[in-house]
Amino acid sequence: MFAKVANWLDDRTGFRMLRRHVLDEPLPPGTGWWFTLGSLLMFGIGVQFLTGIVLALYYAPTPDHAWDSVRFITNTVRGGSFLRGLHHWGASLVVVAAVIHLCRVVFFGSYRKPREVNWIVGIVLLHVILGLGLTGYLLPWDQRAYWATVVAINISKLTPGVGEMAAAFLRGGPDVGALTLTRWYAVHVLVLPPLLVGLVAVHLYLMRRQGISGPVTPKPGRSEMFFPYQAARDLTAAIVAGLLLAVLAYKGAPPLEPPADPTSSGYIPRPDWYFLGLFQLLKYFPGKWEVVGALFIPGLVMTFLALLPWLDRGRTREARRRLSVLLPFTAGLTVVVALTLMGARDLPAQGGSGSPWNIREIGGAALVESGDRCIKCHRPEGVASPVEAGRIGKPATWLEMHIADPEVIAPGVREAPQSNQGEIRSILAALAKMRAGPPPVVDAATKKTYLLFSKFCINCHTVDGAGGKEGPDLTHVGRKLDAAVIEQRINDPAAVDPMAEMPSFAGKISPEDIKLLASWLASRK
């Protein structure tokens, strides 16, 4: 019965011919484990496609919902944390397999005639893989993703002649925001995957047309078919890689950091590990020399790789006869590995829910807890759900509207408080941070000071990287001014500086609170 069905299907589709074409490929004698890297790369790409499709079923590519949808996948969807871990670690597997595969091709001299075109296709494939890693990095829309993307877009500005156009294209608008996220998501799921599939198809076609290069030194004996020996090696490599991915994914992907906050200017961005070498290189080319590290050196490296088939024209693939090519390649590879390791060691100790709360966020949490604010309604015995860490799911625009005018959402409950923009931003920053964890415990005086600063000062002044830019940075104001002068400036700025644009806060803040603020600012040395 089975034979009849197979014969019928073969008559209509010719699948037996396709099977013979795939499995009966003749391989040079001595083909071994080094030639499993291409299949391993294909396995990794397959994992990324399957996990990416499932993740896309739950993901919402908008700033208001992206972070919450990733959190929902991680915490609520059955197996979601494992799935996200597979996609995260699968990206690393693809990059590692692609780079090692490239190194194998170089050391074996497999790019030589007649495989020059396939080598170029492979170089383009590597760039597409890195592009997928870059565009996927933004999608969680947390602090790490947002600020690393800002840095990447700023690097694109260095492109000679078209830098601003390139940055504008990547942003999609004047700033990194909704259009940026939508554009990068579209590129990540609609543009690069079909391009990747097409390039892989061309790569495989050219590989079958020209055959694999085989060992550097030809081995005696007859050629063998791909199936069963090499197929068994490929399958073994894929199983080992799959088990490793499963173990890593079981531990989960890196934790989400707080949602993206464009006002958090003190955040120190860092990329995923496969871009650490480039970021470390940029540290050695500051200012006007940045273009050298960002574009000139990487461009020279890629040009050298692309020209390898024409630079290496010898008759043999033996390493000792190709030192003029292998030595600079090995030196460059060593530098890339060293820069990556140095970049890993230089990463700032921040991230996840353990990243420190800044003054705006602590002050915003104090505003939330003040008697005439959120907890007036949002408490166990109140008319609305309590404000609890990890359970804040409303989008930022909804929250901003509700804070500015609660009557819009809950008519008749209470009158809207008089809120300035600094208070609203501070409360929004605190609520965003509380999605990842509770605020730190601080003493009553510190909480009161941060509340006052967030309510009256932070819209114009910055402390420790948090705040506005209209007024002077007050991070170390105590080095220049004592408490009495600061108190006078708060009470009557014009008396100290007739050109001062800062309004007087006498009558708006009690004398005791002004003294508290002045004393705290004066202590900042």
Side-chain angles (χ1 to χ4, degrees):
M1 179 64 182
F2 178 78
K4 290 183 178 180
V5 172
N7 290 334
W8 179 89
L9 190 61
D10 181 56
D11 184 58
R12 271 68 176 177
T13 64
F15 78 90
R16 287 194 176 107
M17 182 180 65
L18 177 63
R19 183 192 65 187
R20 288 193 296 270
H21 182 73
V22 172
L23 299 181
D24 295 343
E25 176 191 4
L27 303 179
T31 301
W33 289 98
W34 281 112
F35 290 86
T36 64
L37 293 168
S39 297
L40 182 61
L41 178 57
M42 291 289 293
F43 169 76
I45 291 173
V47 169
Q48 292 306 93
F49 266 83
L50 292 175
T51 55
I53 288 171
V54 180
L55 289 171
L57 297 177
Y58 296 96
Y59 180 73
T62 64
D64 289 346
H65 300 95
W67 189 90
D68 285 312
S69 66
V70 175
R71 183 182 63 167
F72 176 77
I73 292 169
T74 306
N75 299 334
T76 306
V77 175
R78 181 175 296 180
S81 178
F82 181 78
L83 180 71
R84 187 169 160 251
L86 276 179
H87 198 70
H88 171 81
W89 295 111
S92 293
L93 170 65
V94 170
V95 173
V96 169
V99 171
I100 297 179
H101 183 52
L102 179 144
C103 293
R104 198 276 302 164
V105 172
V106 172
F107 284 111
F108 279 52
S110 301
Y111 49 73
R112 284 185 169 182
K113 180 183 178 181
R115 301 178 181 89
E116 301 96 329
V117 174
N118 212 12
W119 169 252
I120 298 298
V121 172
I123 296 292
V124 178
L125 259 173
L126 177 62
H127 284 79
V128 172
I129 288 170
L130 293 176
L132 282 163
L134 180 65
T135 52
Y137 200 71
L138 176 64
L139 303 188
W141 200 248
D142 60 0
Q143 283 283 76
R144 175 173 175 163
Y146 179 90
W147 288 105
T149 302
V150 169
V151 172
I153 292 176
N154 287 338
I155 290 175
S156 72
K157 291 182 180 179
L158 301 173
T159 308
V162 295
E164 289 299 329
M165 291 177 59
F169 174 79
L170 293 174
R171 284 194 308 266
D175 301 299
V176 176
L179 290 173
T180 314
L181 179 59
T182 304
R183 180 162 295 190
W184 285 47
Y185 176 72
V187 171
H188 188 72
V189 302
L190 298 177
V191 177
L192 294 181
L195 182 59
L196 181 69
V197 171
L199 288 170
V200 167
V202 172
H203 198 64
L204 292 176
Y205 166 76
L206 292 174
M207 184 268 294
R208 290 302 303 271
R209 174 183 171 84
Q210 298 148 359
I212 66 172
S213 61
V216 173
T217 303
K219 306 293 182 182
R222 293 167 35 179
S223 62
E224 61 182 26
M225 297 297 105
F226 172 78
F227 183 86
Y229 301 108
Q230 190 63 27
R233 296 187 191 101
D234 288 352
L235 180 60
T236 302
I239 291 174
V240 172
L243 290 174
L244 178 60
L245 280 183
V247 171
L248 293 172
Y250 181 76
K251 297 182 179 181
L256 272 176
E257 294 196 5
D261 178 12
T263 66
S264 181
S265 57
Y267 187 88
I268 303 175
R270 68 269 191 212
D272 218 332
W273 69 266
Y274 34 85
F275 291 115
L276 281 176
L278 176 60
F279 270 54
Q280 184 68 21
L281 181 64
L282 292 177
K283 297 177 183 179
Y284 306 121
F285 295 94
K288 65 180 182 179
W289 297 103
E290 191 175 16
V291 67
V292 176
L295 298 175
F296 185 71
I297 293 178
L300 281 180
V301 171
M302 288 303 162
T303 301
F304 171 75
L305 289 177
L307 294 177
L308 270 181
W310 294 273
L311 296 175
D312 182 11
R313 308 281 293 196
R315 295 182 179 181
T316 176
R317 291 191 284 138
E318 293 181 10
R320 60 190 179 88
R321 301 290 181 86
R322 301 168 52 232
L323 294 180
S324 61
V325 168
L326 293 184
L327 287 179
F329 178 82
T330 304
L333 182 64
T334 303
V335 170
V336 170
V337 173
L339 287 172
T340 301
L341 293 175
M342 293 168 64
R345 295 187 62 181
D346 284 353
L347 288 181
Q350 64 180 10
S353 59
S355 58
W357 285 57
N358 61 36
I359 289 172
R360 164 167 281 175
E361 292 159 350
I362 297 176
L367 285 168
V368 168
E369 297 170 4
S370 61
D372 64 337
R373 279 289 180 181
C374 304
I375 63 169
K376 185 174 182 179
C377 297
H378 294 274
R379 62 182 191 274
E381 67 278 10
V383 297
S385 300
V387 179
E388 296 179 356
R391 295 187 59 187
I392 300 163
K394 296 293 185 182
T397 52
W398 190 97
L399 289 170
E400 182 174 3
M401 182 174 63
H402 181 54
I403 295 167
D405 186 3
E407 287 283 304
V408 174
I409 306 300
V413 174
R414 67 181 177 93
E415 293 183 1
Q418 295 296 317
S419 302
N420 61 46
Q421 196 62 32
E423 292 177 275
I424 294 173
R425 289 179 179 176
S426 297
I427 293 174
L428 285 173
L431 294 177
K433 192 78 168 185
M434 287 174 68
R435 287 174 168 175
V441 177
V442 296
D443 60 82
T446 300
K447 182 182 290 188
K448 180 66 175 296
T449 305
Y450 285 8
L451 184 151
L452 290 169
F453 191 83
S454 296
K455 191 171 184 178
F456 298 105
C457 311
I458 205 166
N459 215 33
C460 297
H461 297 281
T462 296
V463 167
D464 295 333
K469 304 294 185 182
E470 295 181 16
D473 189 325
L474 302 181
T475 301
H476 302 295
V477 67
R479 296 177 182 177
K480 302 177 181 178
L481 306 175
D482 59 23
V485 174
I486 295 174
E487 182 178 347
Q488 185 180 11
R489 283 178 177 264
I490 297 174
N491 273 309
D492 190 2
V496 180
D497 180 6
M499 302 296 293
E501 297 181 1
M502 174 177 163
S504 171
F505 285 91
K508 299 178 183 178
I509 310 177
S510 69
E512 295 78 12
D513 288 345
I514 290 178
K515 286 183 178 294
L516 181 65
L517 259 179
S519 176
W520 172 70
L521 289 170
S523 69
R524 301 192 60 83
K525 305 293 187 181

